[in-house]
Amino acid sequence: MVLHKPENKHVLKAFDLHGKVAAVTGGARGIGLEVSRALAEAGADVAIIFSTSKDASTTATEIAEANGVRCRAYQSEVKDSSQIESTLQQVAKDFGKLDIVVANAGIASHHPAEDYTNEQWSEIMKVNLDGAFYTAQAAARIFKPQGSGNLIFTASVSAILVNVPQKQAAYNASKAGLVQLARCLSVEWVDFCRVNCVSPGFIATDMLSVHPEEWREQWFRMIPAQRLCDPYELKGSYVFLASDASSYMTGANLVIDGAYTLP
């Protein structure tokens, strides 16, 4: 088999996700919430997968009603391979199929490299890299028998540079590993699944809001765009990668950073 080739269609139709079913890990807040909204706005039915959010079910109901699609919330833990596999299998059963999986769940912490405990290092890897792989593996076990699927990882510009002034070697390493994982899977699974990454720069989410103001001032000096990105500004990139508009795109890392990585 070769990489799936859709029929030629009107360009706006190529972005249309009606009839598709998508699942988004970490889909109840931050970037993941905007991805869930974006896919629903493009017409997909959406499964929001969350770990600790207290209002995921309410959010799913709001998304469903606003867009005339099905949207349900599922609690699961990506760092538990059997749990995330069971969840994705349940999503496929409940919705009748599964076409798109966005492996978005992630965490960050900041420690000097020499001070990391084994537990601190391991927790980052378990969620950001192991959890992403377990999610991808579970998705592939659905996509392969179907003959098609689409996997999108949320990586980070931290995969291709060293952020300052914060010290976050574990986070950076996990995201660099994730980008390389996507490249590997895009080749291994080319006959039944496209695999791509989105690597955002500094995004205005709760993950950044806790940092000292002097850090933010330094970031602004390094970002040519001179501002943070709002999560909703990433919506189009995920719809693009999830849709036939990017049908020949696999193994790519789409960097969206206000030119932060260029100077």
Side-chain angles (χ1 to χ4, degrees):
M1 293 180 66
V2 297
L3 182 66
H4 173 69
K5 181 180 180 180
E7 64 179 19
N8 193 3
K9 63 186 77 171
H10 188 285
V11 67
L12 294 183
K13 290 292 185 182
F15 286 90
D16 188 1
L17 296 179
H18 282 87
K20 300 292 187 180
V21 176
V24 183
T25 67
R29 60 188 180 188
I31 292 172
L33 174 56
E34 293 303 327
V35 174
S36 297
R37 286 175 175 154
L39 299 177
E41 289 167 3
D45 294 324
V46 179
I48 293 175
I49 300 174
F50 70 98
S51 176
T52 59
S53 176
K54 292 180 169 46
D55 56 0
S57 294
T58 300
T59 298
T61 299
E62 291 171 351
I63 290 174
E65 291 176 349
N67 297 285
V69 301
R70 293 179 294 168
C71 188
R72 293 181 55 179
Y74 296 78
Q75 188 167 17
S76 191
E77 182 54 72
V78 298
K79 61 186 179 182
D80 183 328
S81 60
S82 61
Q83 193 174 142
I84 190 60
E85 176 155 18
S86 176
T87 300
L88 289 186
Q89 289 288 344
Q90 188 63 49
V91 170
K93 180 179 179 181
D94 291 346
F95 286 85
K97 61 174 183 171
L98 182 59
D99 303 292
I100 303 155
V101 171
V102 181
N104 170 78
I107 59 174
S109 64
H110 306 93
H111 305 283
E114 68 273 19
D115 293 338
Y116 272 105
T117 65
N118 291 347
E119 291 75 21
Q120 288 167 339
W121 176 271
S122 180
E123 184 65 13
I124 291 286
M125 295 300 170
K126 283 180 180 177
V127 176
N128 293 2
L129 188 54
D130 297 352
F133 175 70
Y134 297 150
T135 301
Q137 190 176 55
R141 288 170 178 163
I142 296 169
F143 294 161
K144 190 172 183 178
Q146 286 181 170
S148 64
N150 196 328
L151 177 64
I152 304 167
F153 291 112
T154 298
S156 170
V157 293
S158 301
I160 58 176
L161 53 69
V162 178
N163 304 86
V164 291
Q166 68 270 38
K167 297 178 179 180
Q168 51 182 44
Y171 179 83
N172 295 356
S174 71
K175 293 300 186 178
L178 186 56
V179 170
Q180 182 64 7
L181 174 64
R183 291 175 177 141
C184 295
L185 298 182
S186 72
V187 174
E188 286 195 34
W189 297 347
V190 70
D191 58 343
F192 65 86
C193 177
R194 289 196 296 118
V195 185
N196 291 290
C197 288
V198 177
S199 279
F202 289 107
I203 311 300
T205 65
D206 291 343
M207 190 179 286
L208 287 191
S209 64
V210 299
H211 297 322
E213 184 59 31
E214 57 266 28
W215 286 16
R216 298 166 69 90
E217 291 173 358
Q218 185 168 345
W219 297 337
F220 287 145
R221 290 194 297 271
M222 295 186 293
I223 303 171
Q226 290 291 294
R227 66 173 177 85
L228 300 181
C229 175
D230 269 311
Y232 74 83
E233 295 181 274
L234 300 173
K235 290 164 69 174
S237 61
Y238 284 88
V239 171
F240 169 63
L241 291 176
S243 72
D244 285 344
S246 60
S247 59
Y248 198 63
M249 192 172 184
T250 193
N253 181 29
L254 192 57
V255 176
I256 303 174
D257 66 352
Y260 172 58
T261 55
L262 297 181

